[in-house]
C-alpha cells in the first residue's frame, strides 16, 4: 500500500505534456503545472490565443512564466526516491497509430479523439474530458487521423451542417454564404436519416447474405449429390462392363470348346478311315507278295494249280480317291466371330453417342435464367450444314438461309432433305443452350431434333412455331 502511495505522488508531479517528472516546473493561472520548456513549446505552436493543454482555459494576455520553487523542491525529493520506469514502447505512437496531440517529444498513442476539440488524447491527457464538467458535452470517439477533414477549408470552422442540394458537409458560415437558399440541415439530422437508410441497407444485405448462404448450402449439397451419384454410377458401370467382359469371355470359351470338340470328332473319323486304309494296304501287300512268289514258279502244272486256288481279290470299301480340301475347315467360324465383332463395334459406337449425351445432359441444380443477360450465359453460335439443306433453300455465310423458288445446284448427299424445306446445324447441342434468330416473312419453324432426324423426321424433341401477325 505504501508503494501505491508513492506512485500516486509521482504521477501528481509529472508533466502532462512530456509525461516525465517536472523540470523547472511552472504553474499557470488555471492551476495546472508543466515543465517550463514544455508549456513554452506548446504555446509557441499556437498563433494567437494561448490555453491550457488540459482544461483548455484561454489566457489573454499570455501569462508570465515563473519557476515554482516549492514544486521544484518536491520534485527533487521524488527524484531521490527513484523515478518510475518510462512508458513501455508499445504505448508510444507508431506510423500507423493516431498520436496524442498534447504530448511533446515522443508522443503516446491516442486512445480517443474529441470531435469538439478536434484533437486526440492519450490515456493521461484524456482525463480532463472524463473528470471535469467543462468537457461533459464534448463528443469522444475512437482515435481518428481524419479530424482535420471536419474543418471547413474556406472558413476554418467545424462543419456541423450538411447541404442536401450539393450533397456535402459545410460549416454554418457556408450555409449563409455559398450555400444560401440550398436545402441544408444539421449534420446530426442528416446522419439520423442516413442511419435509417444504412440500417435498411444492412438488413437487405444481411437478408441477401442469409439467402446466399442457403443457396451455397444447397449447392454444396448438390455437389455432394453429384459426387455420390457419379461415384455410384462409375461403380455400377464398371460392374456392368465387367459382366459384359465376362459374358464375352464365356462366349469365347464356349466357341473354343465347341471348336475343339468338333475338331476331335473330325480327327477321330479321319483316323478311323486312315486305319482301315492302312489295313487294306497291308493285305494288298501280302497278296502282292504271294502273286510275285507264284510268278516265279517254273512248274507249269503247279503254277496253274495254285493260281486257280487263289481267292478272288476283295473290292475296296472306299472310293478310289479322297478329295483333300484346303485348310478351310473352321474359317466360317472365324468369319462368324468377325461379323459378331463388327456388329458389336457398331452397336457400341451407336450406344456410346446415347451414353455420352446422357452424361452431358445431367440435370444439375442451376438457377433458372430470367433476363436476356442470364440467357446469354448459355448462348451458342449455330452454323448451318450445307449437306443437309433442301435444294430450295439458299445458304449464305453458313448462318443465313433464304427460301428460293428455283432449286439450288447442290450435290447429292445422303443427309440432304428432299421432302421438307429444312436444314440442320453443324453443331450438336448438349445441356442448356440458348440461341437467337432473326427472321423475315410470315412464319419460321425452329426445332431441336435428334441426330437421326433424316431417318425419322418425326423424332423431334420440341418444336417452336412462331407465327407473325
Amino acid at each position: 500500500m505504501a508503494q501505491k502511495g508513492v506512485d500516486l505522488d509521482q504521477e501528481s508531479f509529472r508533466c502532462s505534456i512530456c509525461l516525465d517528472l517536472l523540470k523547472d516546473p511552472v504553474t499557470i493561472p488555471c492551476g495546472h503545472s508543466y515543465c517550463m520548456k514544455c508549456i513554452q513549446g506548446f504555446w509557441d505552436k499556437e498563433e494567437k490565443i494561448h490555453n491550457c493543454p488540459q482544461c483548455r482555459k484561454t489566457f489573454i494576455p499570455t501569462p508570465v512564466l515563473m519557476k515554482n520553487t516549492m514544486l521544484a523542491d518536491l520534485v527533487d525529493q521524488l527524484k531521490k526516491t527513484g523515478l518510475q520506469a518510462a512508458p513501455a514502447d508499445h504505448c508510444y505512437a507508431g506510423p500507423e497509430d493516431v498520436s496524442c496531440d498534447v504530448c511533446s517529444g515522443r508522443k503516446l498513442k491516442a486512445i480517443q479523439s474529441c470531435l469538439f476539440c478536434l484533437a486526440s488524447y492519450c490515456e493521461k491527457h484524456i482525463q480532463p474530458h472524463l473528470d471535469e464538467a467543462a468537457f461533459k458535452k464534448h463528443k469522444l470517439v475512437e482515435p481518428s487521423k481524419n479530424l482535420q477533414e471536419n474543418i471547413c477549408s474556406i472558413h476554418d470552422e467545424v462543419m456541423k451542417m450538411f447541404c442536401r442540394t450539393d450533397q456535402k458537409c459545410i460549416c454554418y458560415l457556408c450555409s449563409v454564404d455559398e450555400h444560401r437558399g440550398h436545402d441544408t440541415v444539421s449534420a446530426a439530422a442528416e446522419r439520423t436519416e442516413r442511419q435509417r437508410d444504412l440500417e435498411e441497407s444492412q438488413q437487405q444485405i444481411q437478408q441477401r447474405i442469409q439467402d446466399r448462404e442457403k443457396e451455397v448450402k444447397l449447392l454444396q449439397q448438390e455437389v455432394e449429390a453429384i459426387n455420390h451419384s457419379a461415384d455410384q454410377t462409375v461403380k455400377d458401370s464398371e460392374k456392368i462392363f465387367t459382366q459384359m467382359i465376362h459374358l464375352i469371355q464365356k462366349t469365347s470359351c464356349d466357341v473354343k470348346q465347341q471348336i475343339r470338340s468338333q475338331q476331335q470328332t473330325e480327327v477321330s473319323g479321319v483316323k478311323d478311315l486312315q486305319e482301315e486304309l492302312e489295313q487294306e494296304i497291308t493285305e494288298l501287300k501280302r497278296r502282292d507278295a504271294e502273286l510275285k512268289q507264284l510268278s516265279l514258279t517254273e512248274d507249269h502244272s503247279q503254277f496253274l494249280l495254285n493260281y486257280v486256288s487263289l481267292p478272288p481279290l476283295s473290292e475296296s470299301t472306299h472310293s478310289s480317291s479322297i478329295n483333300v480340301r484346303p485348310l478351310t475347315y473352321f474359317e466360317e467360324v472365324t468369319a462368324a466371330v468377325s461379323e459378331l465383332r463388327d456388329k458389336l463395334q457398331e452397336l457400341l459406337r451407336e450406344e456410346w453417342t446415347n451414353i455420352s449425351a446422357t452424361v452431358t445432359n445431367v440435370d444439375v441444380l442451376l438457377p433458372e435464367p430470367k433476363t436476356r443477360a442470364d440467357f446469354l450465359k448459355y448462348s451458342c453460335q449455330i452454323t448451318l450444314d450445307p449437306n443437309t439443306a433442301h435444294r430450295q433453300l439458299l445458304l449464305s455465310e453458313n448462318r443465313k438461309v433464304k427460301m428460293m423458288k428455283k432449286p439450288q445446284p447442290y450435290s447429292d448427299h445422303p443427309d440432304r432433305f428432299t421432302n421438307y424445306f429444312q436444314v440442320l446445324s453443324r453443331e450438336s447441342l448438349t445441356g442448356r443452350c440458348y440461341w437467337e434468330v432473326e427472321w423475315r416473312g410470315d412464319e419460321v419453324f425452329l426445332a431441336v431434333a435428334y441426330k437421326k432426324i433424316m431417318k425419322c423426321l418425326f423424332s423431334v424433341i420440341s418444336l417452336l412455331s412462331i407465327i407473325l401477325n
Side-chain angles (χ1 to χ4, degrees), residues 341-469:
R341 178 201 60 196
D342 296 339
K343 289 181 178 179
L344 182 59
Q345 285 181 339
E346 181 63 23
L347 178 62
L348 290 175
R349 188 180 299 110
E350 293 179 357
E351 292 303 320
W352 169 248
T353 302
N354 297 333
I355 293 173
S356 178
T358 304
V359 172
T360 54
N361 288 334
V362 173
D363 188 13
V364 179
L365 177 63
L366 292 174
E368 291 296 330
K370 298 180 180 179
T371 65
R372 182 173 181 271
D374 294 336
F375 280 102
L376 286 176
K377 296 177 182 178
Y378 306 99
S379 65
C380 54
Q381 294 295 324
I382 298 296
T383 57
L384 302 177
D385 185 358
N387 293 329
T388 65
H390 189 278
R391 283 189 167 84
Q392 286 189 240
L393 297 180
L394 174 62
L395 270 61
S396 59
E397 303 176 9
N398 287 338
R399 290 178 58 82
K400 299 179 181 179
V401 59
K402 183 178 181 181
M403 184 73 177
M404 306 295 291
K405 293 183 179 180
K406 182 179 179 182
Q408 302 301 305
Y410 294 140
S411 60
D412 293 336
H413 197 279
D415 292 340
R416 188 173 309 287
F417 285 101
T418 56
N419 297 325
Y420 298 92
F421 302 143
Q422 297 181 178
V423 60
L424 296 180
S425 67
R426 288 177 171 175
E427 293 76 17
S428 298
L429 304 179
T430 58
R432 180 175 289 178
C433 299
Y434 170 79
W435 68 94
E436 296 178 342
V437 179
E438 296 181 4
W439 73 90
R440 296 177 183 175
D442 295 334
E443 61 183 9
V444 62
F445 297 93
L446 305 178
V448 180
Y450 288 115
K451 184 178 181 180
K452 296 183 179 179
I453 190 175
M454 304 303 298
K455 297 181 180 179
C456 181
L457 183 63
F458 298 102
S459 59
V460 177
I461 297 177
S462 64
L463 178 63
L464 173 62
S465 179
I466 307 174
I467 302 179
L468 301 179
N469 294 328

Side-chain angles (χ1 to χ4, degrees), residues 77-138:
Q77 292 180 11
L78 284 174
K79 288 182 178 180
K80 294 178 181 179
T81 62
L83 184 62
Q84 280 189 331
D89 287 340
H90 68 268
C91 294
Y92 290 108
E96 71 283 357
D97 298 318
V98 178
S99 60
C100 177
D101 291 322
V102 180
C103 291
S104 63
R106 188 176 182 184
K107 295 181 177 293
L108 297 180
K109 292 181 183 178
I111 61 171
Q112 284 186 306
S113 296
C114 178
L115 297 181
F116 185 86
C117 302
L118 295 180
S120 300
Y121 302 98
C122 63
E123 185 175 3
K124 174 69 176 179
H125 293 137
I126 198 64
Q127 290 304 316
H129 279 76
L130 303 177
D131 299 336
E132 299 184 17
F135 300 100
K136 292 301 182 182
K137 294 184 178 181
H138 289 203

Side-chain angles (χ1 to χ4, degrees), residues 8-15 20-23 70-71 74-75 78:
L8 289 175
D9 288 341
Q10 291 183 355
E11 290 298 326
S12 300
F13 295 105
R14 288 184 184 276
C15 174
D20 202 351
L21 232 75
L22 291 165
K23 298 177 182 178
M70 182 180 295
L71 194 56
L74 291 173
V75 172
L78 284 174

